[in-house]
Amino acid sequence: MSRLSRLTGLTAAALVLAGLLVLIPSRNAAFLSVADNVSNSWAADTVNPPTSLAAVANAADVDLDWTATPDSYAAGHRIYRSTTSGGPYVQIAQTTPRTTTTYVDTPVDGTYYYVARAYYLNWESADSNEATATFVTPEDYDAVVPASDNCPTTFNIDQYDTDADGTGDACDATPTLSSAGAFTNSGQSLGSGDSKGVAFGDVDGDGDLDAIIANDGNNTVWVNSGTGTFSNSGQSLGSKPNTSVALGDLDGDGDLDVFFATDGGILSGDANTVWINNGSGTFTDSGQSLGSGDSEGVGLGDLDGDGDLDAIIANDGNNTVWVNNGSGTFTNSGQSLGSADSRDVALGDLDGDGDLDAFFATNGGFLSSDANTVWVNNGSGTFTNSGQSLGSGDSRGVALGDSDGDGDLDAIIANDGSNIVWLNN
């Protein structure tokens, strides 16, 4: 072969090699072979990792965000999670393109450790910094199993879902069907007793709202046909002078039971009672006699955080807290929440610490001038007077709700006189 031919061959080879070098990324990004990552570990020759990974636990999930790898040829990022700091990690997500730098994780309750890696084809970068978050499913204290709770993070014992969309009215941005808000008399006359209270709930499990009426005499159960027409079930749930009623799953079997507040007073000595539902809307007296005071109102909620519904009773005298053992049997906690003539009670997280506090409406009248009061829960069912004296009118009822849209619970008081709105700061 002539010297010219040899030079020509060498020149061609050099050009080919130069072309290959142009095609291969810099050493910071080049890989030797597909085999570099067969063990799911990063190789020395790798893309640069993402940085500044952060994990923030929210009410429903864990939000992850990071700064993308600076290598523009990277396809995206992979997210890894572990229950132990330092791993081993398990991949839970892959995001693309590279500019996507967020991911929402929905784990079960626990503490988790996260890392992110950039990837290109079969190769990955080193781990980012490790970020950690502790996720705890919020307790809404209504004792409804989260899997079947239509507002899993909002207190709503009744589970009202007016538009039947699967999201309860308490947490639904548009809870009702289209309506002008104008009411028309349905023409129904539901009993003729001296009624003192009413509670709605699906007591027979057919998907519509029935009604329990607390009477000064025989309490009654009215069954909804599904179109808003009610018929008397024929049941008589006691014959005491009842003043208020609340519905909730008191024995943990998945249906709505009944708690009646009763005007025991000095004459009758009648006690508050609990009636247990068999699941089809038929009730049986539990046989419990819970106090003998002049009870005017009752509120149900998980006051001590143990997963069942406890009761607070508004009395003309000492308001009381009754603790549920989980099967619908109640024990007096021994607490006395004031000694005024309370007429009603409402439960809600008034101080934003995640447990249920109590707001009592009080008969201040012209004789006593007693004020409405707020009692704060320490999370385990022990209450302390907040020291607030809210009005001195003859208050008859109270309802809690976020009336000004600032994310906390305000109060509306029904008085014998001017009704009042109290705003929570």
Side-chain angles (χ1 to χ4, degrees), residues 178-183:
S178 178
S179 171
F183 291 85

Side-chain angles (χ1 to χ4, degrees), residues 155 298-299 312 314 344-348 350 356-361 397-400:
F155 179 68
V298 56
I312 286 194
D344 195 16
V345 60
L347 299 178
L350 301 177
L356 294 178
D357 309 301
F359 195 120
F360 289 100
V398 55
L400 300 177

Side-chain angles (χ1 to χ4, degrees), residues 46-101:
T46 184
V47 291
N48 287 296
T51 57
S52 303
L53 177 66
V56 177
N58 300 306
D61 50 49
V62 176
D63 290 344
L64 301 169
D65 65 79
W66 59 92
T67 299
T69 175
D71 297 321
S72 60
Y73 54 82
H77 303 91
R78 292 176 179 142
I79 309 303
Y80 289 79
R81 185 179 70 198
S82 176
T83 55
T84 304
S85 179
Y89 302 102
V90 175
Q91 182 180 332
I92 60 171
Q94 178 170 296
T95 66
T96 189
R98 180 183 68 92
T99 52
T100 299
T101 58

Side-chain angles (χ1 to χ4, degrees), residues 175-346:
T176 60
L177 300 174
S178 178
S179 171
F183 291 85
T184 304
N185 191 335
S186 69
Q188 300 177 74
S189 294
L190 308 183
S192 57
D194 183 3
S195 300
K196 300 297 181 70
V198 59
F200 282 104
D202 183 11
V203 300
D204 54 4
D206 64 352
D208 53 45
L209 294 178
D210 310 299
I212 304 281
I213 308 295
N215 293 312
D216 184 358
N218 296 324
N219 302 308
T220 51
V221 179
W222 292 81
V223 178
N224 191 345
S225 66
T227 61
T229 300
F230 291 83
S231 58
N232 193 333
S233 71
Q235 299 178 73
S236 174
L237 309 187
S239 57
K240 300 176 179 180
N242 300 286
T243 55
S244 183
V245 57
L247 293 177
D249 183 10
L250 303 179
D251 56 0
D253 63 353
D255 53 45
L256 294 177
D257 309 301
V258 184
F259 196 118
F260 288 108
T262 304
D263 181 6
I266 60 175
L267 297 177
S268 71
D270 288 326
N272 305 308
T273 58
V274 171
W275 291 72
I276 303 299
N277 191 347
N278 70 352
S280 62
T282 300
F283 294 86
T284 303
D285 190 345
S286 70
Q288 299 175 75
S289 295
L290 307 180
S292 57
D294 183 0
S295 299
E296 301 287 345
V298 56
L300 298 178
D302 184 8
L303 305 177
D304 52 7
D306 64 352
D308 53 47
L309 293 178
D310 310 299
I312 286 194
I313 308 297
N315 292 312
D316 181 0
N318 298 323
N319 302 312
T320 52
V321 178
W322 293 81
V323 178
N324 190 347
N325 70 352
S327 62
T329 299
F330 290 83
T331 303
N332 193 334
S333 70
Q335 298 178 72
S336 175
L337 310 187
S339 57
D341 180 6
S342 298
R343 296 298 183 90
D344 195 16
V345 60

